[in-house]
Amino acid sequence: MKNRPVRVGLQLHPQGADYAHIRESVAAAEELGVDVLFNWDHFFPLYGDADGKHFECWTMLAAWAEQTQRVQIGALVTCNSYRNPDLLADMARTVDHISAGRLVLGIGSGWFERDYTEYGFDFGTAGSRLDDLAAALPRIEKRWAALNPPPTRQIPVLIGGGGEKKTLRLVARHADIWHTFAQGEELAHKMEVLRGHCGREGREFADIEVSVGVGGPGRLGRLPDPPEVEGLPLYDMGARLFTVGIGGPTYDVSVIEPWLAWRDALNAR
């Protein structure tokens, strides 16, 4: 894990903005050198005007795949409930080809009830949604193996969430990247839980990239070296992908520049 380079992600919240601003921000972020560009998979805004402007996740990712040349792209995260797993696998394979192998399949069990009720999906319970995700992941992998043409490479799977009994077991079994908002002692504890699941699954813990959401512009301030939250250094704990989120109606992508400078200095050591 010590040898894994630091990467910096930027999540463009697909709400409250005209698509022209999103397109411009994608171009600006790639030009700055962001490693991964994320959107999210919801149908309505998560903050601000609940009925404000909002765009769909996967059609947007296909557009990003065509627009960009270098940056990786993905959802943080796709909701497993909204699409048949075999269809999602095919969609991901297609965007993978459009992007020439730059897609990250971020996926989670879902949580935003309004999406479910207004679009006619069964909300169920947190437990049933996690069970559905557990059943979907092998189907996605099986469909990738059956598609013609297959994906350009083994598509990296990012699983978001921190449930210690189910979610982290799925991370150990299926994921290349684990995304969390946990920090400090909570992150240290969950990483030990994940390490235990990896041992039981016969998986090397070091093979999983630890991704941490580090908030938005309000949390940047002066950037420590390395960034610290609640007094514990995230880098020394093993985090290697750091993602900042920003929203519309316009996107100030310059807030990511201190993180990129820190990344470059650290990776040059």
Side-chain angles (χ1 to χ4, degrees), residues 39-85:
N39 60 9
W40 67 35
D41 190 20
H42 295 287
F43 305 128
F44 301 95
L46 297 187
Y47 56 87
D49 181 0
D51 295 311
K53 296 175 181 177
H54 199 282
F55 291 101
E56 193 275 329
C57 168
W58 275 90
T59 45
M60 182 182 296
L61 287 177
W64 288 8
E66 191 66 52
Q67 175 188 347
T68 56
Q69 300 295 320
R70 178 200 55 79
V71 69
Q72 286 193 326
I73 58 173
L76 197 61
V77 292
T78 301
C79 176
N80 174 66
S81 306
Y82 301 160
R83 300 161 192 87
N84 172 287

Side-chain angles (χ1 to χ4, degrees), residues 168-204:
L168 293 182
R169 185 171 69 242
L170 292 176
V171 171
R173 189 172 296 169
H174 298 281
D176 303 283
I177 307 168
W178 170 50
H179 182 78
T180 179
F181 290 97
Q183 294 163 351
E185 294 180 0
E186 181 186 9
L187 177 59
H189 168 71
K190 290 187 182 295
M191 289 179 72
E192 284 306 305
V193 173
L194 177 56
R195 194 184 300 272
H197 283 303
C198 286
R200 288 183 287 274
E201 294 291 334
R203 183 90 186 274
E204 290 290 335

Side-chain angles (χ1 to χ4, degrees), residues 5-263:
V6 169
R7 302 198 297 158
V8 170
L10 182 65
Q11 185 186 44
L12 301 178
H13 302 170
Q15 66 165 61
D18 293 326
Y19 190 73
H21 290 304
I22 296 175
R23 184 190 299 112
E24 292 166 1
S25 301
V26 167
E30 183 171 49
E31 179 67 23
L32 284 174
V34 169
D35 294 295
V36 192
L37 272 175
F38 294 109
N39 60 9
W40 67 35
D41 190 20
H42 295 287
F43 305 128
F44 301 95
L46 297 187
Y47 56 87
D49 181 0
D51 295 311
K53 296 175 181 177
H54 199 282
F55 291 101
E56 193 275 329
C57 168
W58 275 90
T59 45
M60 182 182 296
L61 287 177
W64 288 8
E66 191 66 52
Q67 175 188 347
T68 56
Q69 300 295 320
R70 178 200 55 79
V71 69
Q72 286 193 326
I73 58 173
L76 197 61
V77 292
T78 301
C79 176
N80 174 66
S81 306
Y82 301 160
R83 300 161 192 87
N84 172 287
D86 293 272
L87 171 62
L88 178 60
D90 202 341
M91 292 166 60
R93 181 280 308 255
T94 300
V95 174
D96 174 60
H97 275 265
I98 296 170
S99 67
R102 292 181 289 112
L103 176 75
V104 174
L105 176 60
I107 193 166
S109 59
W111 63 273
F112 191 40
E113 189 169 6
R114 185 184 181 190
D115 284 347
Y116 285 79
T117 56
E118 294 215 24
Y119 276 63
F121 298 106
D122 179 20
F123 189 57
T125 65
S128 69
R129 294 192 299 274
L130 276 167
D131 291 342
D132 289 344
L133 177 60
L137 287 164
R139 286 179 59 182
I140 291 169
E141 293 164 356
K142 183 178 179 180
R143 179 56 55 187
W144 278 340
L147 287 168
N148 185 16
T152 66
R153 87 288 197 221
Q154 181 177 328
I155 296 174
V157 173
L158 176 156
I159 294 179
E164 296 178 10
K165 293 182 179 180
K166 292 185 177 182
T167 302
L168 293 182
R169 185 171 69 242
L170 292 176
V171 171
R173 189 172 296 169
H174 298 281
D176 303 283
I177 307 168
W178 170 50
H179 182 78
T180 179
F181 290 97
Q183 294 163 351
E185 294 180 0
E186 181 186 9
L187 177 59
H189 168 71
K190 290 187 182 295
M191 289 179 72
E192 284 306 305
V193 173
L194 177 56
R195 194 184 300 272
H197 283 303
C198 286
R200 288 183 287 274
E201 294 291 334
R203 183 90 186 274
E204 290 290 335
F205 174 74
D207 290 343
I208 299 173
E209 183 176 26
V210 177
S211 167
V212 179
V214 289
R219 297 193 62 171
L220 281 173
R222 182 185 65 82
L223 185 67
D225 183 15
E228 292 183 1
V229 180
E230 298 178 1
L232 289 177
L234 297 176
Y235 176 84
D236 286 349
M237 295 174 68
R240 290 296 182 271
L241 174 56
F242 301 83
T243 298
V244 174
I246 57 176
T250 58
Y251 298 87
D252 181 11
V253 299
S254 68
V255 300
I256 205 69
E257 293 184 72
W259 290 90
L260 298 175
W262 171 77
R263 173 203 67 188

